[in-house]
Amino acid sequence: MQVVATGVELRELLMEYGGVAGRRVLVPTMGALHHGHLELVKRAREAAGPAGSVVVSIFVNPIQFDRSDDLEAYPRPMASDLEQCRAAGVDVVFAPDAGAMYFSDRSVTVSESLLSRGLCGAARPGHFDGVCTVVLKLFLLSGCHAAVFGEKDFQQLAVIRRMVRDLDVPVEILACPTVRESDGLAMSSRNARLTDKQRADAPRIHRALTDAMKLGGVADILAAARAGIEASPLARIDYLELVDAETLQPVTTLTRPAVLAAAVFYGDVRLIDHVAVK
Ligand code: AMP
């Protein structure tokens, strides 16, 4: 496995892989890798085939953070991340710092203006501009044929698919289902920042969403999910919404596939989860 820290090094290294038959598949991450990320790597390896290459990027992207305390507190266990990548058979890790990714006077941003309006986009202004900008840069730097994303961040996945569609980006987008702990909590790098008490309480998010979606009407579903989460004094809802699975706009009736999505704070740690409502 090779580890590179600048776009120039990455390009040079990937020239060596250029002549090899098979696809180059990128897995963009912010590190603090867990089993969910490793499922993405597995999917990438399948898509790349034995002759292809798997590139994992590890970059805590400052321009997608709306709070500097969240950016600073984001875990960065680089040595263990590299070990996990090595064990998972990753070919190349691209781990730049912010200075290697952005000019100090950068003035171009990729902006999606419809799907990114609500949910995490409304709660975290500028977040998806930061995501689209870094993901497009990573696609260009890696020259990947395909890239793997997690359904856990379903709004991010929808926004990236839209960016690829609207800008004719020649990268196939592959998705992996959400990987959960045995108690239902969606795996997240942020889980490591929960106290023991918060960690024990956090599975209620998924439980509340799953129980609520079994109900009939929109108002009942939202009320039940809210009650299930707010039953804990530790949990504070950032948003809780029932949105159309395709447009991500809030729904008032359940005539099409929908998604019940929540962002919940435990202290200053913000967790997201969602379930599909058929
Ligand atoms: P992150 O490092 O949190 O930016 O995540 C990098 C990629 O891993 C994104 O495509 C996420 O959607 C995906 N991911 C994170 N957690 C999970 C999970 N629990 N299950 C599946 N994919 C995940």
Side-chain angles (χ1 to χ4, degrees):
M1 185 177 84
Q2 311 248 28
V3 183
V4 292
T6 67
V8 173
E9 283 174 285
L10 181 65
R11 285 235 176 98
E12 277 173 9
L13 178 64
L14 291 175
M15 297 265 270
E16 293 171 25
Y17 286 88
V20 180
R23 302 208 303 166
R24 183 176 306 147
V25 185
L26 173 71
V27 181
T29 82
M30 297 204 299
L33 301 182
H34 51 67
H35 192 62
H37 293 115
L38 297 180
E39 286 298 307
L40 270 58
V41 170
K42 229 187 258 175
R43 180 80 185 80
R45 175 50 66 197
E46 282 165 18
S53 51
V54 174
V55 180
V56 170
S57 60
I58 298 177
F59 178 55
V60 183
N61 176 33
I63 68 166
Q64 73 185 68
F65 283 77
D66 58 315
R67 289 165 35 219
S68 58
D69 58 322
D70 189 27
L71 172 62
E72 275 152 32
Y74 203 86
R76 292 166 170 87
M78 187 54 82
S80 103
D81 283 352
L82 293 179
E83 199 36 60
Q84 292 194 67
C85 286
R86 199 166 286 120
V90 170
D91 297 298
V92 177
V93 171
F94 177 49
D97 61 18
M101 283 296 277
Y102 297 117
F103 289 96
S104 57
D105 62 346
R106 71 178 188 89
S107 54
V108 175
T109 299
V110 183
S111 189
E112 194 284 334
S113 58
L114 186 65
L115 303 176
S116 52
R117 248 192 241 159
L119 304 169
C120 287
R124 305 179 67 189
H127 171 67
F128 286 113
D129 286 2
V131 169
C132 285
T133 303
V134 79
V135 167
L136 186 59
K137 281 171 71 75
L138 291 169
F139 286 178
L140 293 169
L141 286 166
S142 67
C144 60
H145 303 95
V148 190
F149 293 87
E151 286 173 3
K152 173 178 173 268
D153 299 275
F154 83 102
Q155 187 179 17
Q156 169 173 282
L157 180 59
V159 167
I160 287 166
R161 285 194 196 281
R162 179 59 63 95
M163 172 183 81
V164 163
R165 187 198 77 172
D166 284 4
L167 298 183
D168 304 303
V169 180
V171 175
E172 184 188 1
I173 304 301
L174 305 170
C176 272
T178 302
V179 179
R180 298 181 179 280
E181 302 286 357
S182 56
D183 57 14
L185 178 65
M187 288 190 184
S188 164
S189 306
R190 290 189 164 88
N191 294 351
R193 294 190 50 229
L194 297 170
T195 64
D196 289 349
K197 263 189 168 173
Q198 291 168 337
R199 171 63 189 84
D201 194 71
R204 79 168 50 249
I205 305 171
H206 184 238
R207 214 163 39 234
L209 300 180
T210 316
D211 290 348
M213 78 164 190
K214 294 177 191 146
L215 301 174
V218 171
D220 288 347
I221 290 175
L222 287 170
R226 180 167 290 279
I229 296 168
E230 287 183 341
S232 166
L234 301 177
R236 181 169 62 80
I237 293 175
D238 189 22
Y239 67 70
L240 173 69
E241 286 194 54
L242 194 50
V243 298
D244 185 280
E246 210 169 288
T247 66
L248 307 195
Q249 304 306 309
V251 296
T252 49
T253 54
L254 281 175
T255 48
R256 292 167 29 83
V259 175
L260 179 59
V264 177
F265 276 107
Y266 278 87
D268 65 347
V269 181
R270 185 174 173 280
L271 305 178
I272 58 170
D273 205 344
H274 72 281
V275 294
V277 183
K278 298 270 154 55

